[in-house]
Amino acid sequence: MDQTAHTHADTFTAEEWKRIDEIISTYAGKEGSLIPALEEIQGVTGFLPESIQRYVAGGLGIPVSHIYGVVTFYSFFTMKPRGKHHLRCCLGTACHVRGAKRNLEKLERTLGIKAGSCTDDRMFSIEVVRCLGACGLAPVMTVNDDTHKQVRESQIGDILDTYADSQDG
Ligand code: FES
């Protein structure tokens, strides 16, 4: 497809758009193809913003409203960019009273991004959540599948360093 037609061409690389086109060609015209196609595309781009949803809608001949419904229904799809290492910082009551806000601010300062966004190199993203189910060990944050409990502001740098080193994969 014509690359100039991409409204967010600057967000993704030419190589990523090529992969998206390949995925769309693989699934076009096949029944039940939307979810696997979206999964593969998210594997390439990391997230499924509206521009991608519109593009997939055109490519697969599926109404964009239907695609939006699927993306917002399944929690493994995301419309916001996520980094390779996705941080969830709990600001629920138990965590809040034990200093979670300071932890969040330290995360934001250290990574140079605000909660809800992703670093330019797509290594880290931050999400604020309301409870991670470990209130007794507040303040709590998770990095990918790892849970960090009773986190102090002074530990944030070391926690991030652990993941910044694992750039492989
Ligand atoms: S309020 Fe943070 S884990 Fe429950």
Side-chain angles (χ1 to χ4, degrees):
M1 291 183 204
D2 179 6
Q3 299 289 320
T4 58
H6 301 304
T7 52
H8 279 222
D10 54 338
T11 308
F12 303 109
T13 64
E15 182 58 30
E16 286 169 334
W17 280 116
K18 188 163 163 271
R19 282 288 301 125
I20 293 167
D21 280 342
E22 286 166 2
I23 293 164
I24 289 174
S25 322
T26 305
Y27 286 100
K30 295 195 184 132
E31 204 142 308
S33 61
L34 180 57
I35 288 177
L38 291 175
E39 276 183 312
E40 283 193 37
I41 291 169
Q42 184 168 283
V44 173
T45 59
F47 67 121
L48 299 169
E50 274 179 43
S51 57
I52 295 275
Q53 292 178 33
R54 277 196 300 275
Y55 194 66
V56 172
L60 292 181
I62 294 173
V64 69
S65 58
H66 181 61
I67 294 180
Y68 178 81
V70 167
V71 169
T72 51
F73 181 78
Y74 292 102
S75 61
F76 52 84
F77 290 131
T78 176
M79 288 178 64
K80 287 199 171 163
R82 278 188 192 167
K84 180 179 176 192
H85 303 298
H86 185 58
L87 316 176
R88 286 193 171 88
C89 186
C90 180
L91 285 192
T93 306
C95 290
H96 191 78
V97 298
R98 288 178 183 268
K101 191 87 198 302
R102 280 197 303 278
N103 288 349
L104 174 64
E105 286 165 0
K106 181 71 184 283
L107 283 172
E108 291 179 331
R109 271 199 313 278
T110 309
L111 294 173
I113 56 171
K114 287 289 176 195
S117 59
C118 180
T119 56
D120 286 344
D121 62 3
R122 297 201 205 163
M123 283 299 289
F124 289 99
S125 49
I126 307 174
E127 177 185 359
V128 166
V129 294
R130 289 297 153 195
C131 184
L132 288 164
C135 313
L137 293 163
V140 182
M141 62 179 272
T142 62
V143 186
N144 308 327
D145 294 329
D146 304 333
T147 302
H148 297 269
K149 298 164 184 163
Q150 294 180 319
V151 178
R152 293 191 306 273
E153 185 187 350
S154 58
Q155 296 174 304
I156 295 287
D158 284 345
I159 291 172
L160 290 177
D161 282 349
T162 312
Y163 296 93
D165 289 337
S166 59
Q167 300 208 359
D168 55 320

